[in-house]
Amino acid sequence: MTEPVSATLPPVALSSPIDLPTLWVAVVFAFLGTFLFLDGFDFGAGALFATRTDEEERERILAAIGPFWDGNEVWLVVFGGGLFAAFPPLYASLFSRHYLLLFGVLGALICRGLAPEFYEQREDEAWQRWWGRAFVVGSVTAPLLLGVFVGNWLLGTTVTEAPATVLVGLAVVALTVVTGGAFVALKTDGSLAADARTWGLRALAAYLLSLVAVFLALVARPAVRPALLEPVPLALVAVSSAVGGGYALAIRRERDRLAFFAAGGLTYALVALVAVLLFPTLDPATGLTVTEAAISSPAIGLLTLSAALLVPLVCVYFAVLYSTFAGPVEAEGY
Amino acid sequence: MVDPALASRLQFALTTIVHIIFPVMSMGLAPFLVYFTWKSIRSSDPLWERQRRFWTRLFAISFVVGTVTGLVLEFEFGTNFAAFSTFAGELFGGPLAVEGMMAFFLEATFLGVFVFGREKVGDALYMFSAIAVGLGTWLSAVWILIANSWMQTPRGYELAQRNGQPVVTLVDPVAAYLNPRFPWLFVHMQSAAVLSVALFMAGVAAYFVYRSSDGGTESGETADSGDERADSSDDPSAVETTAGSDDARFWRTTLKIALVVLLVTAPFQVVHGDSYARHVAETQPQKFAAMEAQYETEAPAALHLLAIPTDPSAFTDPRAENLWTVDIPAMASVLASGGDPSYEVTGLDEFEGSPPVAIVFWSFRAMVLLGFWFVGLALWSGYRWRRGDLFDDQRLHLALMGSAPLGFIAVETGWIVTEVGRQPWVVQGLLRTEDGVSPGLTGTEATLTLAGFALVYTALLVGYGYVVRRLVLAGPPEVESATGSTAERKPNPEPTADSSPDDGTASTPEVSTDD
């Protein structure tokens, strides 16, 4: 009458009705976008650090990002890990082709990560000046080179072949200052917050301008033009402009939290644009497609299961972290 | 220009050797921090809050350096070992991705709460954050070592073709990720991390106990040690025992805690290492042969305590003949089999290719020797403790100070045995290291980054050493005691000065360390 259900549990459903490789393209780019949004405000705060001379204001900028940046940077680690795990041949060809560029990114991240730790070790002025500079240089160089990397990936080129990718790098730097400006404004007050808003607005103008410039440079390339003039990419550009307008309004009205989320919207729109333009050929330089690059279906099923269990947990950790340190900072260490 | 394959291998060796220091520090400190946090919440004694804060600073800086150097390793699989990544990515990439999602996030987000949030969260969440950080560091090791152990004893895969290239595909995740090596590697690594940090703590604590030990509290006991420290009369630090009696208690407690852990982990590590070597003999006989410099298959096989080529020019030649050896007959057979003196030990001549034997052989001996030294040190300390003169034996204090970095050295040599010993294979029996290098990589690129890392990592080690030294010398931070009973030195630098009227210069470098 009944089936003997107890003896053997059904095997874990590793084959799925969803197209898992395509899902993982979305997952990997979502990781990249989250990194660019969250670590983006750390980078932007680092760039704003350069505009301050007052010691107390500098300390406040460092204190504002202090509890967050470690966790934020892990999104880069899982972006790399996810790309490696789901699309090993893509990871291999992309990373080995951009060899020096990626070591530049690593160097910048080392600089950016260590500088605040060293900065706070000693009170003396020369020491802090040099580590302050290292912090700024790292904070600007990392998004610049990452932007160039993504630009090269998108166009299937190297730096020397496509100056347009340098524009992408500059656009990403501007975008981090847009995010960082809102974040610093949110976390501080007085002239520091006011100046952060001003810098956020300037960076927004620079970002939208460079985005348009990149767009025009790409439209000029016959290989890319048709992909770019599709409805989805055009819609993403339109959304970016609208969200940018929202950011400007919010920041003028000192609605810093709203501006911060608008900056996040800009970031995700940019990353989505890249993903849409790449799909389904994940690597224009080699012509590798999603299907060719993806791991076998049991393996990607297992990976999806892990991510489905773990990513919601990660969101809880971030909720705890960000709510613990909600509100303006006091310049205090441990 | 260096050959890209060689430069890549040297670069990976350099970046791993430097990186491993920092995770060892965080993994080893994690259980101590959980304990200190627990005690500081449960006890009104400010000692525990001071312990927590002092060691948290070291943890935080180690974590940051570990993060940035670990990211380098992840990238290097793609940049320098693209062929390996393409071939083994399906089995090897998964654990790395899960490490990030399961472990690294847990550690990095709750570290923010743990380091900056003491005043902002309740005791329960604070305790949770300490556990989460500790759990994160250990789970990280789980997944990294799963990936690594799969390369040592690959299971659960099938060879296949993808886009015309040979790859491995996953057929049995349980076999692949709970492969034979994993439990051995994990237990040995975690025990090594805790042991290394216990030694480091003991060394630091011994330094402060040593500095203060002829300051007067045990004046009768230290009379005969005067000749060992001729400069003790003008040593300004000698006043600390009385000026900072809380500090003295702090370091004595630290020393005792570290020694308890040392007494457990050091003998465990030696016993575990012995069985681990047997497992290596079974699963990677080539590595075992290199560890023992066993060139020919023998039964019974002798253990070479020393093995030095008689011709110095052959020192790094894996096939060097005419070795001058000091042997224990049949001992290698006994070790490989777990007691059978006539067991046949496979020699290197049975295999194609060979690891650089001298490196593996000497690293293994250094690790084993250090392991026995740690046991000796633990027993010596235990004996002194039992006799009640733990804080008086200055030779022991000097030995502990000198041994503070040795746990890390043992970890490095152990990893050299593990990683160099499996050469020429990057994935044992499946892919040679030279075939795993990125095909398009030029010698110029590889040499440039190798030189860059040599520079940057030297600076990084110097900087880390400098910061650790500053943190240690600054001593434990003062905390505001809830009951106001002790340790409130901020308003008045010397509330205890009445007990030592001649110590007017004391504690000046100490008072402003609490930020």
Side-chain angles (χ1 to χ4, degrees):
Chain A
M1 176 179 133
T2 51
E3 296 287 325
V5 287
S6 58
T8 51
L9 289 165
V12 181
L14 289 179
S15 61
S16 152
I18 313 168
D19 179 8
L20 291 182
T22 302
L23 175 72
W24 271 87
V25 175
V27 171
V28 163
F29 278 96
F31 288 165
L32 180 64
T34 309
F35 164 72
L36 209 56
F37 175 32
L38 297 183
D39 222 18
F41 75 67
D42 302 326
F43 294 137
L48 290 174
F49 189 86
T51 68
R52 314 316 296 175
T53 47
D54 180 67
E55 183 50 32
E56 195 266 336
E57 288 185 340
R58 290 190 150 203
E59 297 276 354
R60 273 162 86 197
I61 290 180
L62 290 179
I65 63 171
F68 304 113
W69 80 264
D70 267 331
N72 295 344
E73 195 155 296
V74 179
W75 290 103
L76 180 66
V77 177
V78 295
F79 161 70
L83 198 64
F84 190 5
F87 310 107
L90 174 67
Y91 183 73
S93 80
L94 206 54
F95 274 50
S96 59
R97 216 166 50 236
H98 297 104
Y99 189 82
L100 292 179
L101 190 60
L102 286 168
F103 281 104
V105 172
L106 289 173
L109 288 175
I110 290 175
C111 218
R112 206 284 305 249
L114 297 184
E117 293 290 333
F118 282 83
Y119 184 91
E120 289 172 357
Q121 285 301 319
R122 281 173 56 171
E123 293 296 317
D124 94 71
E125 204 179 300
W127 174 271
Q128 295 206 332
R129 191 165 59 240
W130 279 102
W131 283 110
R133 281 177 191 162
F135 179 56
V136 173
V137 169
S139 298
V140 174
T141 314
L144 177 72
L145 297 183
L146 270 166
V148 173
F149 167 72
V150 172
N152 280 328
W153 177 3
L154 182 61
L155 295 180
T157 53
T158 61
V159 190
T160 42
E161 285 166 20
T165 63
V166 179
L167 269 179
V168 179
L170 291 172
V172 172
V173 173
L175 183 57
T176 63
V177 180
V178 171
T179 320
F183 182 77
V184 171
L186 189 60
K187 286 295 192 184
T188 61
D189 52 19
S191 64
L192 178 55
D195 285 358
R197 290 188 195 102
T198 311
W199 280 106
L201 274 184
R202 288 178 192 163
L204 178 71
Y207 172 67
L208 291 177
L209 274 178
S210 46
L211 195 65
V212 169
V214 171
F215 195 82
L216 293 177
L218 293 190
V219 168
R221 294 170 74 93
V224 191
R225 190 189 303 142
L228 208 53
L229 297 177
E230 291 285 310
V232 178
L234 287 176
L236 283 168
V237 174
V239 165
S240 291
S241 315
V243 174
Y247 175 91
L249 273 179
I251 215 119
R252 279 181 177 282
R253 293 182 186 172
E254 303 188 5
R255 306 272 304 270
D256 299 318
R257 184 183 297 267
L258 204 60
F260 181 63
F261 287 121
L266 284 177
T267 310
Y268 283 110
L270 179 69
V271 173
L273 183 63
V274 172
V276 165
L277 290 177
L278 278 171
F279 194 83
T281 307
L282 278 189
D283 189 8
T286 58
L288 201 65
T289 65
V290 177
T291 331
E292 289 165 348
I295 52 175
S296 70
S297 76
I300 206 166
L302 190 65
L303 192 63
T304 311
L305 190 67
S306 325
L309 293 172
L310 294 169
V311 172
L313 269 177
V314 171
C315 296
V316 174
Y317 309 158
F318 273 80
V320 172
L321 178 69
Y322 279 78
S323 63
T324 298
F325 298 98
V329 289
E330 312 110 55
E332 278 292 318
Y334 344 107
Chain B
M1 290 304 139
V2 187
D3 164 49
L6 179 64
S8 294
R9 293 172 70 170
L10 288 176
Q11 178 176 310
F12 198 82
L14 169 72
T15 47
T16 333
I17 282 174
V18 174
H19 171 70
I20 190 68
I21 295 168
F22 312 107
V24 165
M25 195 59 112
S26 356
M27 293 184 301
L29 275 173
F32 289 100
L33 285 183
V34 169
Y35 176 71
F36 293 149
T37 306
W38 171 249
K39 294 290 281 186
S40 72
I41 287 174
R42 302 296 296 192
S43 157
S44 57
D45 187 345
L47 170 77
W48 300 108
E49 177 61 12
R50 297 180 83 201
Q51 291 280 5
R52 185 192 70 71
R53 286 205 205 170
F54 181 78
W55 297 105
T56 296
R57 291 174 174 182
L58 186 61
F59 186 97
I61 179 91
S62 306
F63 179 80
V64 168
V65 187
T67 306
V68 294
T69 54
L71 189 61
V72 172
L73 297 182
E74 186 190 29
F75 275 36
E76 278 175 342
F77 294 120
T79 49
N80 294 72
F81 296 95
F84 159 77
S85 297
T86 305
F87 172 79
E90 179 160 334
L91 273 290
F92 186 81
L96 294 194
V98 175
E99 189 254 347
M101 293 187 290
M102 183 188 278
F104 205 6
F105 270 129
L106 185 66
E107 186 182 357
T109 48
F110 283 98
L111 186 67
V113 178
F114 186 68
V115 170
F116 296 97
R118 187 65 192 99
E119 312 298 321
K120 294 189 178 271
V121 300
D123 285 350
L125 181 54
Y126 196 71
M127 189 65 225
F128 179 81
S129 72
I131 295 170
V133 169
L135 190 67
T137 63
W138 281 49
L139 280 175
S140 252
V142 167
W143 289 100
I144 295 301
L145 296 180
I146 278 178
N148 183 283
S149 63
W150 182 81
M151 298 156 85
Q152 312 279 348
T153 51
R155 298 284 188 283
Y157 66 90
E158 224 165 49
L159 282 170
Q161 291 272 325
R162 187 179 297 139
N163 314 323
Q165 286 178 311
V167 294
V168 287
T169 62
L170 182 67
V171 291
D172 183 349
V174 177
Y177 297 141
L178 297 178
N179 69 83
R181 177 59 48 80
F182 170 67
W184 291 102
L185 197 50
F186 180 73
V187 171
H188 208 61
M189 182 73 224
Q190 297 316 95
S191 169
V194 176
L195 169 58
S196 302
V197 168
L199 272 168
F200 181 79
M201 281 181 134
V204 169
Y207 168 74
F208 285 100
V209 171
Y210 176 87
R211 277 200 351 176
S212 64
S213 62
D214 46 13
T217 45
E218 298 93 14
S219 49
E221 300 287 322
T222 53
D224 62 346
S225 63
D227 53 345
E228 287 174 37
R229 297 184 62 218
D231 62 337
S232 63
S233 56
D234 57 1
D235 182 357
S237 62
V239 300
E240 291 210 346
T241 307
T242 44
S245 59
D246 284 336
D247 283 357
R249 190 166 80 96
F250 180 95
W251 291 118
R252 288 172 176 219
T253 313
T254 310
L255 184 59
K256 284 184 171 177
I257 292 170
L259 290 178
V260 169
V261 175
L262 187 66
L263 268 162
V264 176
T265 50
F268 173 80
Q269 194 71 342
V270 168
V271 173
H272 182 265
D274 173 55
S275 325
Y276 184 4
R278 211 135 55 228
H279 164 77
V280 171
E282 280 164 28
T283 54
Q284 284 180 303
Q286 188 177 12
K287 183 189 281 180
F288 186 81
M291 282 154 62
E292 297 296 344
Q294 188 73 38
Y295 289 91
E296 278 152 25
T297 303
E298 278 181 321
L303 174 82
H304 307 312
L305 286 177
L306 297 173
I308 298 168
T310 46
D311 177 4
S313 66
F315 194 71
T316 55
D317 177 8
R319 300 284 169 183
E321 306 220 336
N322 305 320
L323 291 176
W324 178 79
T325 59
V326 176
D327 296 347
I328 304 178
M331 197 59 195
S333 293
V334 171
L335 288 178
S337 63
D340 175 8
S342 61
Y343 183 81
E344 184 178 275
V345 176
T346 316
L348 286 163
D349 58 353
E350 312 252 333
F351 304 98
E352 243 183 88
S354 162
V357 177
I359 297 175
V360 181
F361 178 85
W362 287 111
S363 299
F364 183 59
R365 260 138 200 79
M367 179 186 71
V368 171
L369 200 69
L370 286 171
F372 281 110
W373 167 242
F374 301 155
V375 173
L377 208 51
L379 294 177
W380 179 5
S381 311
Y383 171 70
R384 284 298 180 188
W385 192 343
R386 226 184 120 78
R387 283 209 357 185
D389 51 7
L390 176 63
F391 302 124
D392 305 322
D393 185 348
Q394 298 203 321
R395 270 201 198 84
L396 173 64
H397 301 159
L398 286 171
L400 286 170
M401 281 184 242
S403 303
L406 293 187
F408 292 87
I409 306 285
V411 168
E412 299 283 6
T413 51
W415 271 112
I416 289 170
V417 173
T418 306
E419 298 301 281
V420 179
R422 81 173 125 113
Q423 303 304 323
W425 301 103
V426 62
V427 184
Q428 182 70 46
L430 289 179
L431 185 72
R432 284 169 181 268
T433 311
E434 59 192 288
D435 299 328
V437 176
S438 304
L441 184 62
T442 67
T444 316
E445 288 173 325
T447 312
L448 258 174
T449 56
L450 175 60
F453 274 117
L455 266 169
V456 171
Y457 274 35
T458 306
L460 195 120
L461 280 179
V462 170
Y464 178 76
Y466 173 78
V467 171
V468 169
R469 190 171 165 273
R470 274 182 73 91
L471 289 181
V472 166
L473 292 183
E478 297 305 321
V479 299
E480 303 295 320
S481 163
T483 56
S485 58
T486 49
E488 285 184 319
R489 281 206 278 165
K490 271 212 160 159
N492 173 6
E494 278 203 287
T496 56
D498 55 324
S499 63
S500 54
D502 55 341
D503 294 337
T505 57
S507 79
T508 36
E510 308 284 326
V511 286
S512 61
T513 55
D514 183 21
D515 48 332

